[in-house]
């Protein structure tokens, strides 16, 4: 081979190698290296060329490799992938069947799973274990005394159920109006639990069950829960729960049981006990809230006599609320709802659709809203603008200017009660009238003192269309409302820039009006709360003490209380008056014969004193 050279020898070796490989790839020779089973599959595997004439060379290692993969599939990548998917599917089915997946994951077959697959397997196992614990894995163990529910998260109540489970079941049954679940919960609480269940708060669960049953109008369950709670858990009853049950009873129109529960479970504290104790405060608070619910329910149902009776009980409870030290925010009385109900009831009374309740001996006011006002004035006040706007709109529905008089002959007919506002110039009479009537420009206000120079008469709640009669002389059908009255704004005395002769005329007219006006029911004397009474104020007090008839009431009103508090309007502070001013007012009243008259603190800016003013305006409305 030396004569062929290096290149020639390479070609010769390549030629012999090619012939050798072709020879070894024949079936006869391959049978010496491959098992007979593989050779039997060889024709179907297309190991040999389809066209023998072409003598295509198939390497031996390709034949052996393909045959080995078919014979031993564990070495096949597709097989590994397929078996892994089968294992995961099998694992998922095991998880669904509730088997021990951790044991499976730690077995010999775990070696065929990747790390993410093993972690996913463990997470699925943990989730299933939590679901079994939440659903009660021991249902089969307690199958004889379990109470099934229509819930996937809580399928049944068993002796191992907790108070939270019962509360969740009650809320779900109430929200979905599931009567079957409500009956199951009632049977569980009444027959499967003892007094130590829920750490001694089983009575609270019974109260919650009663409220939910009343919401669903399931009277049987509600009655059972209420009776069980009252007889077995009376010592642990809470006032808040009793008030909630009372509201539920009112919702289903069971007023008799509601009032009986009010007098039984929310009775007044025992005499001799301190009202400032936490237990007595809760009892007083929720008794007041329950009475408010009762009154509003009767108002909305068109039962004014029962509603007024509840308001009277509220008015008698108010001083006790103040004595207990509870604030308006702590009590949080629903005055807005009660006022809306009273206003609606009064509309029905004016239309003739609502009448007094038979068999109940109570005097109805000219406007049932006044009964709510009486109760409000006995409770701690929070000076809520929204509440007092509702109050003013319910009491003052129409206001019109009737006339301006300078003599007794110019006064309107004496067919209704009258409330008079009097005071020195720049004391804030017009602003106070606008505040009380919830109007912005009923009475004219000006920075220049003495703008009001006649006796201005304003008719409140007169018949509709009355202004047309006054303006055009037309006669319209209808009558004034039962609670109609006049507001009289008198001229200011003092340093008003008016002639002395006119000032004397005002004085004579005022004396005649106070002494002879038969419809005068209340006289408000306004005194500046910043400076106290002046000589003009003392003169008015003296004349009132000498001339005012016994059928009229005299009230001293201290105005501009917000001026004594820095930033009262922006900070929503009511206002105050110094003790020196109060002492000076009391001394002047005593010296001029009106020492027993009430004193009211007001502010047109912060709306302080609206309720107190309306308490006395009622005297004019009811005359």
């Amino acid at each position: 081979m030396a004569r062929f050279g290096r290149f020639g020898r390479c070609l010769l070796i390549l030629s012999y190698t090619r012939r050798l490989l072709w020879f070894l790839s024949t079936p006869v020779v391959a049978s010496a290296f491959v098992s007979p089973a593989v050779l039997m599959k060889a024709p179907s595997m297309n190991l040999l060329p389809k066209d023998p004439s072409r003598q295509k060379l198939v390497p031996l290692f390709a034949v052996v490799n393909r045959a080995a993969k078919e014979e031993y599939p564990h070495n096949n990548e597709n097989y590994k992938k397929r078996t892994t998917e089968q294992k995961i599917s099998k694992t998922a089915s095991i998880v669904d069947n509730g088997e021990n997946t951790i044991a499976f994951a730690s077995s010999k077959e775990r070696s065929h799973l990747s790390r993410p697959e093993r972690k996913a397997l463990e997470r699925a196992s943990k989730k299933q274990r939590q679901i079994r614990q939440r659903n009660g894995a021991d249902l089969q163990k307690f199958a004889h005394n379990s109470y099934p529910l229509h819930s996937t998260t809580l399928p049944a109540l068993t002796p191992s159920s907790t108070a939270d489970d019962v509360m969740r079941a009650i809320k779900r049954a109430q929200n979905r109006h599931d009567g079957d679940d409500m009956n199951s919960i009632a049977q569980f609480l009444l027959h499967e639990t003892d007094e130590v269940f829920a750490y001694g708060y089983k009575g609270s669960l019974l109260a919650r069950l009663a409220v939910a049953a009343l919401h669903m109008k399931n009277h049987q369950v509600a009655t059972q829960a209420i009776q069980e709670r009252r007889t077995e858990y009376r010592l642990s009853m809470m006032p808040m729960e009793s008030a909630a049950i009372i509201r539920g009873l009112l919702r289903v129109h069971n007023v008799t049981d509601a009032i009986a529960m009010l007098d039984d479970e929310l009775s007044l504290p025992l005499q001799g006990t301190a009202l400032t104790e936490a237990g007595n405060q809760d009892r007083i608070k929720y008794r007041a809230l329950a009475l408010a619910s009762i009154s509003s329910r009767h108002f909305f149902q068109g039962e004014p006599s029962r509603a007024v009776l509840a308001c009277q009980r509220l008015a008698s409870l108010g001083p006790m609320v103040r004595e207990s030290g509870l604030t308006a925010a702590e009590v949080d009385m629903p005055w807005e709802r009660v006022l809306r109900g009273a206003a609606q009831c009064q509309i029905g009374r004016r239309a003739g659709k609502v009448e007094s309740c038979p068999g109940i001996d109570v005097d109805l006011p000219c406007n049932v809203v006044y009964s709510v006002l009486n109760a409000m004035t006995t409770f701690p006040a929070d000076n809520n603008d929204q509440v007092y706007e509702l109050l003013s709109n319910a009491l003052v529905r129409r206001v019109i200017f009737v006339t301006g008089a300078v003599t007794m002959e110019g006064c309107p007919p004496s067919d209704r009660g009258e409330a008079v506002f009097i005071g020195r110039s720049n004391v804030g009479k017009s602003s106070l009238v606008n505040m009380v009537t919830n109007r912005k420009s009923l009475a004219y206000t000006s920075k220049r003192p003495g703008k009001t120079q006649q006796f201005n008469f304003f008719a409140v709640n007169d018949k509709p269309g009355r202004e047309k009669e006054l303006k055009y002389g037309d006669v319209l059908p209808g009558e004034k409302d039962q609670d109609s009255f006049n507001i009289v704004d008198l001229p200011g005395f003092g340093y008003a820039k008016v002639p002395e002769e006119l000032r004397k005329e005002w004085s004579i007219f005022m004396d005649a009006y106070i002494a002879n006006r038969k419809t005068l029911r209340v006289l408000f004397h306004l005194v500046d709360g910043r400076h106290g009474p002046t000589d003009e104020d003392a003169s008015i007090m003296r004349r009132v003490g000498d001339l005012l008839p016994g059928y009229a009431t005299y009230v001293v009103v201290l105005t501009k209380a917000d001026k004594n508090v820095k930033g009262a309007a922006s900070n929503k502070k009511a206002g105050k008056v110094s003790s020196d001013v109060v002492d000076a007012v009391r001394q002047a009243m005593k010296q001029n014969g009106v020492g027993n008259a009430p004193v009211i603190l007001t502010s047109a800016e912060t709306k302080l004193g609206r309720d107190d003013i309306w308490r006395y305006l009622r005297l004019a409305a009811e005359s």
Side-chain angles (χ1 to χ4, degrees):
M1 294 179 62
R3 67 177 182 271
F4 291 103
R6 182 180 299 176
F7 181 77
R9 287 195 298 272
C10 291
L11 291 176
L12 185 60
I13 293 172
L14 183 60
S15 175
Y16 283 125
T17 303
R18 185 173 180 274
R19 290 175 179 272
L20 178 61
L21 292 175
W22 177 84
F23 173 77
L24 293 176
S25 62
T26 58
V28 177
V29 179
S31 61
F33 301 95
V34 185
S35 65
V38 176
L39 290 177
M40 292 176 65
K41 298 179 182 179
S44 62
M45 296 169 56
N46 297 324
L47 296 177
L48 299 179
K50 296 181 179 181
D51 188 3
S53 62
R54 297 180 62 181
Q55 298 296 317
K56 183 177 180 179
L57 181 63
V58 181
L60 178 62
F61 68 89
V63 177
V64 176
N65 189 28
R66 292 173 62 184
K69 289 181 178 180
E70 196 70 20
E71 175 70 11
Y72 306 102
H74 291 285
N75 297 325
N76 192 346
E77 294 295 333
N78 293 331
Y79 172 81
K80 290 182 178 180
K81 182 177 181 182
R82 186 167 61 254
T83 54
T84 301
E85 293 176 353
Q86 292 175 355
K87 292 177 182 179
I88 295 175
S89 176
K90 181 180 179 182
T91 303
S93 64
I94 291 175
V95 170
D96 293 339
N97 294 332
E99 301 294 339
N100 189 357
T101 57
I102 296 297
F104 173 80
S106 60
S107 64
K108 180 180 179 181
E109 299 180 359
R110 180 177 177 178
S111 60
H112 297 289
L113 297 177
S114 63
R115 188 175 185 278
E117 292 169 346
R118 293 196 303 271
K119 293 297 183 181
L121 184 67
E122 293 176 0
R123 287 194 297 269
S125 172
K126 183 178 180 181
K127 183 178 180 180
Q128 288 296 324
R129 187 165 60 251
Q130 292 175 349
I131 293 176
R132 289 199 306 272
Q133 292 175 355
R134 185 167 61 248
N135 291 355
D138 299 331
L139 282 180
Q140 295 180 354
K141 179 179 178 181
F142 300 106
H144 61 283
N145 55 357
S146 64
Y147 297 83
L149 303 175
H150 299 153
S151 174
T152 56
T153 58
L154 188 64
L157 292 175
T158 66
S160 62
S161 298
T162 63
D164 292 337
D165 295 335
V166 177
M167 186 63 70
R168 287 193 292 114
I170 293 174
K171 291 181 179 179
R172 180 194 174 278
Q174 178 180 349
N175 294 336
R176 298 183 178 239
H177 289 267
D178 194 333
D180 294 336
D181 280 9
M182 190 63 65
N183 292 329
S184 297
I185 297 169
Q187 294 299 319
F188 172 77
L189 280 178
L190 295 175
H191 302 296
E192 289 296 332
T193 58
D194 52 14
E195 62 276 1
V196 298
F197 180 75
Y199 302 99
Y201 287 96
K202 181 180 175 180
S204 299
L205 293 177
L206 289 171
R208 185 64 180 86
L209 177 65
V211 172
L214 290 171
H215 182 80
M216 297 172 56
K217 298 183 179 180
N218 191 335
H219 302 285
Q220 181 179 1
V221 171
T223 302
Q224 292 177 353
I226 291 174
Q227 290 179 351
E228 178 75 9
R229 172 177 174 270
R230 182 178 298 169
T231 56
E232 301 295 337
Y233 302 95
R234 189 175 186 86
L235 296 178
S236 62
M237 290 191 307
M238 302 177 64
M240 177 179 62
E241 301 165 356
S242 300
I245 296 176
I246 290 174
R247 290 194 298 270
L249 291 171
L250 294 173
R251 190 178 294 113
V252 297
H253 309 287
N254 192 346
V255 181
T256 303
D257 289 345
I259 295 178
M261 180 172 288
L262 174 73
D263 296 333
D264 179 25
E265 300 182 11
L266 293 178
S267 58
L268 294 175
L270 298 176
Q271 293 183 356
T273 59
L275 298 181
T276 55
E277 295 180 358
N280 288 338
Q281 284 183 338
D282 286 345
R283 183 179 292 270
I284 294 172
K285 170 185 175 180
Y286 288 105
R287 179 180 174 85
L289 293 175
L291 283 171
S293 299
I294 293 173
S295 62
S296 64
R297 184 264 178 195
H298 287 310
F299 277 133
F300 280 111
Q301 293 295 323
E303 300 171 349
S305 300
R306 299 180 185 274
V308 170
L309 189 61
C311 289
Q312 290 178 356
R313 300 181 70 176
L314 270 176
S316 62
L317 184 64
M320 192 173 295
V321 174
R322 292 178 180 270
E323 186 179 351
S324 66
L326 292 171
T327 63
E330 291 173 341
V331 181
D332 195 18
M333 290 291 291
W335 295 122
E336 183 177 348
R337 175 174 174 79
V338 179
L339 285 172
R340 291 184 187 278
Q344 177 178 315
C345 184
Q346 184 62 28
I347 292 174
R349 291 185 67 197
R350 288 196 297 270
K353 299 179 181 179
V354 174
E355 298 180 356
S356 58
C357 302
I360 299 180
D361 186 15
V362 60
D363 294 331
L364 294 180
C366 61
N367 190 329
V368 293
V369 179
Y370 283 114
S371 62
V372 183
L373 175 64
N374 287 344
M376 290 174 57
T377 54
T378 61
F379 277 73
D382 55 355
N383 200 32
N384 189 304
D385 288 340
Q386 188 172 2
V387 170
Y388 284 103
E389 184 174 355
L390 284 172
L391 175 67
S392 299
N393 292 337
L395 296 177
V396 181
R397 297 171 297 280
R398 297 177 300 277
V399 184
I400 59 173
F401 174 74
V402 177
T403 185
V406 293
T407 61
M408 290 295 294
E409 291 75 14
C411 295
S414 303
D415 59 349
R416 68 199 72 187
E418 293 178 349
V420 177
F421 290 83
I422 188 174
R424 60 191 301 272
S425 300
N426 199 34
V427 77
K429 293 189 308 298
S430 299
S431 299
L432 187 65
V433 170
N434 292 334
M435 179 195 74
V436 171
T437 58
N438 198 28
R439 302 295 191 275
K440 292 184 178 180
S441 58
L442 177 63
Y444 187 79
T445 59
S446 175
K447 293 182 179 180
R448 184 168 63 88
K451 194 66 178 179
T452 303
Q453 299 194 5
Q454 59 183 359
F455 283 39
N456 294 323
F457 288 79
F458 300 92
V460 179
N461 300 333
D462 208 333
K463 68 178 182 179
R466 173 63 173 165
E467 59 273 10
K468 293 184 179 180
E469 292 185 348
L470 297 173
K471 187 174 183 179
Y472 303 109
D474 299 339
V475 178
L476 300 178
E479 297 180 355
K480 63 182 180 65
D481 292 344
Q482 188 178 1
D483 57 342
S484 178
F485 64 97
N486 287 335
I487 291 179
V488 187
D489 184 13
L490 268 62
F493 297 91
Y495 60 90
K497 296 181 179 180
V498 294
E500 186 66 26
E501 183 178 355
L502 181 59
R503 197 190 303 269
K504 292 180 179 179
E505 292 179 0
W506 288 351
S507 179
I508 296 172
F509 182 22
M510 187 186 73
D511 292 345
Y513 179 85
I514 294 175
N516 302 319
R517 189 67 171 179
K518 300 301 182 182
T519 54
L520 176 61
R521 290 295 177 266
V522 58
L523 190 149
F524 295 100
H525 177 194
L526 278 61
V527 178
D528 196 326
R530 298 171 297 176
H531 311 297
T534 62
D535 293 340
E536 292 290 341
D537 293 320
S539 175
I540 293 174
M541 292 179 184
R542 182 170 54 256
R543 294 156 73 179
V544 167
D546 296 338
L547 301 174
L548 188 67
Y551 52 78
T553 302
Y554 174 67
V555 181
V556 176
V557 180
L558 299 180
T559 62
K560 302 183 180 182
D562 60 289
K563 305 299 182 181
N564 297 319
V565 178
K566 185 177 181 180
S570 59
N571 298 330
K572 300 296 181 181
K573 296 180 180 179
K576 64 180 181 179
V577 173
S578 65
S579 58
D580 295 338
V581 171
V582 175
D583 294 340
V585 170
R586 287 295 184 185
Q587 185 67 23
M589 292 169 60
K590 185 177 180 181
Q591 292 176 356
N592 294 283
V594 289
N596 296 327
V599 179
I600 298 176
L601 185 64
T602 64
S603 170
E605 186 71 25
T606 62
K607 308 299 188 294
L608 174 65
R610 290 171 291 188
D611 52 346
D612 294 323
I613 294 291
W614 269 111
R615 285 173 53 202
Y616 294 100
L617 285 176
R618 177 182 178 179
L619 301 175
E622 291 184 338
S623 62

